[in-house]
Amino acid sequence: MLKSNLLPPRLFEREFRAGRPTGNTGRARLQAAAASATGETVATYLNKRLAEIGCKHVFAIPGDYIAPWVETLDGPDNAGLVRVHPNNEMVAAYAADGYGRAANGSTVGCMAFTYGVGAMNALQAVAGAHVEYVPVVLVNGSPSPAQFNSQRDQGVLWHHMFDGSYTDLRLFREVTAMAVRLDNPAYAPDLIDAALTACITQSRPVYIEIAVGMENYDCQPVASRPRLKPAPLPQSASSLDEALGMVMQVLVGAKRLVVLGGVEIARAGLQDAFATLVQKLGAPYVSDLLGKSLLSEYRDDINFSGVYNGRNSQQNVQDLMRGADIILALGVHETDFNFSGVASTDYAPGSAPGLPLPLVGQIEARLGAVLINSTASPTLEGELYWGDIQLGPFIAALTQAVAALPGGALPNAAGFPRLVGSPWDIPPPSSFAPEAQITWDSFKSALQHDYLDSFDESQAPALLADTGATFYSLNNLKVPRNGYIAQLSWGAIGYSPGAIGGVQLALRARGDNRRVISISGDGAFAESVNALGTLAELGLDCVVFVMANGVFAIEQFLINPQAFAPGSGVQFSALTQVAQTSLWNWRALAAGFGGVGYEVTTNAELQQVLAELRERRPDPVPAHGPCSGSAAGPGCCDFAPAAGVQPRRSTFTLVAVRNVCNDLPSNMRWKLQQS
């Protein structure tokens, strides 16, 4: 049998890369005629809908299956979308993830890859977005129906195809809120709308697979359909009333109430409603680490009282939490990293799983449910649970119920506890010898007092803290709303250098020119080092700090923390060594990618670099080579200007921090007494 890959080019194009349909009859013909009159195609429809839900930039790595759609991003039908070309699919997915987190409830990340070899390279990053409730869209180019049939009937295994069984679609169904395939223009608009609505409703990634050639087919115009918005979630009025009544009984009797806020509030866009509730309750507000920067820590109209992360918290925050009689936890995800490892920190054998404060009364509202634990339960029946309570309606109803009380407040609100001391208890830089080698604590001190404190709230940088000692150490820096991003549940090292560009692009798209800072270990940085090239290409003046101490400190912390104890005699495990980064020339590395580099070892050197970062932003690195000047040399290609690309204004700064390798942040040293 003649194999289709041996067909003449035009016949191959006709059979396997079909364009606009012909010969429509009946209703299909009328729909096609209406679409043709508006010029709407599957590609233009998708572009308009992506722009509508908060996408501005698409992190695209084109391959032949996705290239026809990606090409539309550089033309007049891009609906304002801007194509960005990262260096690989993993960092592209991290950038899209950061984009989706940058302004919770307002931005949606988007990435586009080709089938198999492209999309599968991003699978774990998409899984991380799913775990952490980040709204991102993956658009994947796919072989056409004719190609899948050819594999089935002729045995032709097309390139990038696994086995012809729609493998990518099946895989991404497992790690997204919805996965759809567009291979018929008649229902492409419905599938696109369903997937994007799921994304913004559930704040989770979705997957849209486009059969190659499908992008050119006519379809129903966007103008004929309603705008996309989050779908209303069903809420039982009777369940809400019953749960609210029980919760109010507990709160009215509370004498030492503490409110704990979590990331679900931010992902659902409920920050303002939550802030109003905290004001009404009159109780101290603490965030968990995953929810840090849920509200601005600069606000003085709420009683912000720090970040709770188990025994990694400041002692005064731990004392506040453990002294509470009732903890009202809203939108909190109970994960091991979020509470610094329940099983290895606050865990007590025989205790029930959950927030590791078993003797404190707790009310928890999250993921469509409300629970009152047996300690707080106002009945003799013990723990109370409702599985159909949405967080938004619950917060609104609770706010109204408190406002309706005599005096508009809980009866014991005046006596609710207050945090003793500061929620940002960070010693000043003068506490550390200028010529001493940098430690985790001296780095945080200089970063807060010598840099972050020089900005007002409107310009305070957004911080990305990578997995491990980084996000634990920095949990008490002072940050604005949405100003602290860390992948606390999925915990993929290398996330923050890859995500930082997406965060800054999302902020700029909203007119916010604040700087964005990534802080990671050297092992994590090595995972996504090639993201630096994209930062320079786009003129993003990010600052990338790398704690270049030559070890995976968090791994040693988990294996045997006694290696960090002076005089213990415990050696670092060989598997924790990051040998390659001791060979890197950090300044040359930054310059090679088009940025500016520093390497610092002492506290005085770090403070000098921070002073330079305060005073100026680096100039763009000039392009060089035979094709970079105004008069291109021979052998140079001509390119049409990409849509929406702005002249470069600056470039990134890379700072290698040679901190002490066998040092732990002070808030993690408790484990030396535990092991």
Side-chain angles (χ1 to χ4, degrees):
M1 180 181 292
L2 179 65
K3 299 295 185 182
S4 52
N5 60 331
L6 300 178
L7 294 174
R10 288 193 177 183
L11 184 57
F12 173 86
E13 186 73 18
R14 189 184 73 198
E15 293 295 326
F16 293 100
R17 305 294 174 91
R20 295 176 184 269
T22 59
N24 289 311
T25 60
R27 182 177 179 184
R29 177 184 295 167
L30 294 175
Q31 289 178 337
S36 296
T38 64
E40 197 81 279
T41 65
V42 172
T44 62
Y45 189 98
L46 177 58
N47 293 347
K48 292 173 184 177
R49 286 308 209 190
L50 287 171
E52 189 178 300
I53 65 169
C55 295
K56 172 70 174 179
H57 296 82
V58 179
F59 301 90
I61 299 182
D64 50 359
Y65 295 128
I66 193 62
W69 178 69
V70 171
E71 272 192 305
T72 70
L73 303 179
D74 294 327
D77 294 327
N78 61 14
L81 301 178
V82 177
R83 177 182 59 83
V84 177
H85 191 156
N87 291 335
N88 67 39
E89 288 82 6
M90 184 185 77
V91 296
Y94 287 160
D97 180 293
Y99 200 100
R101 298 180 196 235
N104 283 292
S106 300
T107 53
V108 175
C110 185
M111 56 193 131
F113 309 127
T114 198
Y115 202 73
V117 67
M120 287 190 191
N121 200 25
L123 185 65
Q124 76 82 11
V126 175
H130 185 275
V131 167
E132 303 220 353
Y133 294 87
V134 183
V136 295
V137 181
L138 169 54
V139 182
N140 189 22
S142 159
S144 68
Q147 286 172 285
F148 278 110
N149 292 342
S150 172
Q151 196 281 329
R152 179 195 66 198
D153 300 331
Q154 298 176 298
V156 176
L157 188 63
W158 297 86
H159 66 284
H160 304 337
M161 186 188 289
F162 184 72
D163 61 4
S165 62
Y166 299 92
T167 307
D168 286 25
L169 182 64
R170 291 187 291 110
L171 286 174
F172 280 96
R173 277 175 178 159
E174 301 299 318
V175 295
T176 59
M178 183 176 291
V180 300
R181 175 175 167 81
L182 310 182
D183 56 16
N184 188 320
Y187 44 79
D190 290 334
L191 293 175
I192 291 170
D193 287 1
L196 298 185
T197 300
C199 179
I200 59 177
T201 299
Q202 300 182 40
S203 188
R204 273 184 156 159
V206 296
Y207 172 86
I208 298 176
E209 182 172 297
I210 303 179
V212 66
M214 187 57 50
E215 67 284 337
N216 289 325
Y217 278 88
D218 296 328
C219 72
Q220 187 179 4
V222 168
S224 68
R225 300 167 69 94
R227 286 184 62 84
L228 298 182
K229 58 183 180 180
L233 298 172
Q235 176 59 67
S236 165
S238 60
S239 291
L240 180 59
D241 288 344
E242 181 180 309
L244 182 65
M246 290 293 186
V247 167
M248 285 300 295
Q249 286 188 52
V250 177
L251 294 181
V252 165
K255 294 181 173 57
R256 299 183 306 279
L257 175 66
V258 175
V259 180
L260 178 63
V263 71
E264 188 179 348
I265 293 169
R267 298 290 193 264
L270 297 172
Q271 289 115 309
D272 292 339
F274 175 71
T276 300
L277 174 61
V278 171
Q279 292 169 335
K280 291 289 185 186
L281 291 171
Y285 150 63
V286 174
S287 79
D288 63 359
L289 187 49
L290 189 56
K292 181 174 173 65
S293 77
L294 161 65
L295 299 178
S296 171
E297 296 176 8
Y298 288 77
R299 295 180 64 159
D300 56 12
D301 60 337
I302 56 174
N303 186 10
F304 176 67
S305 301
V307 174
Y308 180 67
N309 187 235
R311 295 186 184 180
N312 288 342
S313 317
Q314 290 183 180
Q315 187 59 53
N316 57 347
V317 177
Q318 294 185 54
D319 293 342
L320 177 70
M321 290 289 286
R322 295 182 183 281
D325 63 345
I326 298 295
I327 293 175
L328 174 61
L330 301 173
V332 174
H333 288 189
E334 295 174 3
T335 75
D336 52 355
F337 278 173
N338 205 23
F339 294 111
S340 71
V342 173
S344 61
T345 59
D346 301 294
Y347 175 73
S351 66
L355 185 67
L357 296 167
L359 301 180
V360 176
Q362 294 168 46
I363 303 168
E364 297 182 66
R366 60 178 296 263
L367 289 179
V370 169
L371 179 147
I372 302 176
N373 74 351
S374 57
T375 304
S377 177
T379 74
L380 299 177
E381 300 172 2
E383 182 177 282
L384 299 174
Y385 176 81
W386 297 264
D388 57 352
I389 309 293
Q390 302 302 329
L391 188 58
F394 179 74
I395 289 176
L398 188 56
T399 303
Q400 292 177 358
V402 174
L405 292 172
L410 294 172
N412 300 315
F416 286 162
R418 293 293 181 264
L419 182 73
V420 178
S422 169
W424 314 285
D425 186 11
I426 302 173
S430 59
S431 306
F432 306 93
E435 298 308 316
Q437 187 175 355
I438 299 164
T439 63
W440 280 104
D441 287 352
S442 70
F443 172 78
K444 178 168 65 174
S445 171
L447 181 64
Q448 179 68 70
H449 297 293
D450 289 336
Y451 187 70
L452 298 180
D453 283 350
S454 64
F455 300 94
D456 61 26
E457 180 179 5
S458 66
Q459 288 299 312
L463 301 177
L464 282 76
D466 217 297
T467 297
T470 308
F471 59 45
Y472 285 152
S473 171
L474 305 179
N475 67 15
N476 61 341
L477 290 173
K478 186 176 183 179
V479 293
R481 175 165 158 171
N482 299 325
Y484 188 90
I485 295 174
Q487 205 190 54
L488 260 294
S489 295
W490 188 243
I493 67 169
Y495 168 79
S496 66
I500 185 173
V503 173
Q504 188 148 31
L505 285 175
L507 292 177
R508 285 191 177 181
R510 295 170 54 81
D512 187 341
N513 291 318
R514 75 181 67 233
R515 226 172 191 170
V516 184
I517 295 173
S518 162
I519 304 166
S520 67
D522 46 4
F525 172 76
E527 293 265 347
S528 51
V529 59
N530 59 7
L532 295 179
T534 307
L535 302 183
E537 177 185 344
L538 298 173
L540 301 179
D541 62 331
C542 306
V543 181
V544 179
F545 287 98
V546 183
M547 310 304 286
N549 56 7
V551 295
F552 285 105
I554 190 62
E555 294 296 335
Q556 186 62 51
F557 177 81
L558 296 172
I559 293 170
N560 185 349
Q562 291 305 317
F564 295 98
S568 69
V570 176
Q571 302 254 330
F572 270 69
S573 172
L575 65 85
T576 66
Q577 184 179 15
V578 187
Q580 61 176 303
T581 57
S582 65
L583 305 175
W584 288 2
N585 182 328
W586 293 92
R587 294 184 183 88
L589 178 70
F593 277 105
V596 175
Y598 297 91
E599 184 173 343
V600 296
T601 301
T602 68
N603 294 315
E605 291 170 347
L606 173 62
Q607 289 178 289
Q608 178 60 39
V609 169
L610 291 173
E612 293 183 27
L613 291 174
R614 280 199 316 268
E615 294 165 5
R616 63 185 298 271
R617 300 188 178 197
D619 296 327
V621 173
H624 58 280
C627 300
S628 59
S630 57
C636 296
C637 299
D638 292 327
F639 291 96
V645 174
Q646 301 296 320
R648 288 180 298 156
R649 295 177 293 178
S650 188
T651 191
F652 71 88
T653 301
L654 174 67
V655 184
V657 180
R658 294 291 194 179
N659 59 315
V660 177
C661 68
N662 60 349
D663 169 65
L664 277 179
S666 56
N667 64 326
M668 294 175 65
R669 292 176 192 158
W670 56 266
K671 199 168 185 182
L672 299 179
Q673 284 73 52
Q674 289 275 308
S675 54

